[in-house]
């Protein structure tokens, strides 16, 4: 057998194992993407993902903490 041996399931060689691992990797990427989208969608509906335009204009340091870290340009 070409690159077969101990550690592989019966009838599986190294290339079959690479295919199995590639399929598992793609499955995990898809699952992670779907879960991330669902979590962000729920957060966006509950509290929002962005700050207000006013907070963006003021800067988050001033808006959130009441202090200015960087000097204005």
């Amino acid at each position: 057998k070409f690159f077969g041996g101990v550690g592989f399931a019966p009838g599986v060689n190294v290339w079959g194992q690479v295919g199995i691992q590639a399929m598992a990797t793609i499955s995990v990427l898809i699952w992670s993407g779907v879960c991330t989208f669902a979590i962000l969608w729920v957060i966006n509906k509950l509290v929002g993902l962005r700050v207000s335009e006013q907070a963006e204009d003021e800067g988050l340091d001033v808006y959130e903490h009441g202090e200015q870290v960087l000097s204005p340009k």
Side-chain angles (χ1 to χ4, degrees), residues 1-2 10 13 21-22 25 31 33-38 41 43-44 52 54 58 61 67 69:
K1 287 186 172 183
F2 180 69
N13 62 13
Q21 290 178 346
T25 301
W31 175 255
V34 169
C35 287
T36 299
F37 176 80
W41 185 83
I43 290 172
N44 190 38
S52 66
Q54 177 188 0
E58 288 180 27
D61 293 327
E67 47 186 55
V69 177

Side-chain angles (χ1 to χ4, degrees), residues 1-69:
K1 287 186 172 183
F2 180 69
F3 287 119
V6 180
F8 294 113
V12 176
N13 62 13
V14 71
W15 301 114
Q17 185 66 32
V18 168
I20 292 168
Q21 290 178 346
M23 189 171 20
T25 301
I26 291 168
S27 300
V28 168
L29 286 171
I30 292 170
W31 175 255
S32 299
V34 169
C35 287
T36 299
F37 176 80
I39 291 168
L40 290 174
W41 185 83
V42 169
I43 290 172
N44 190 38
K45 293 298 178 188
L46 292 177
V47 294
L49 291 172
R50 294 192 58 131
V51 296
S52 66
E53 258 188 69
Q54 177 188 0
E56 281 186 30
D57 291 339
E58 288 180 27
L60 289 179
D61 293 327
V62 174
Y63 185 79
E64 292 283 327
H65 307 293
E67 47 186 55
Q68 190 166 348
V69 177

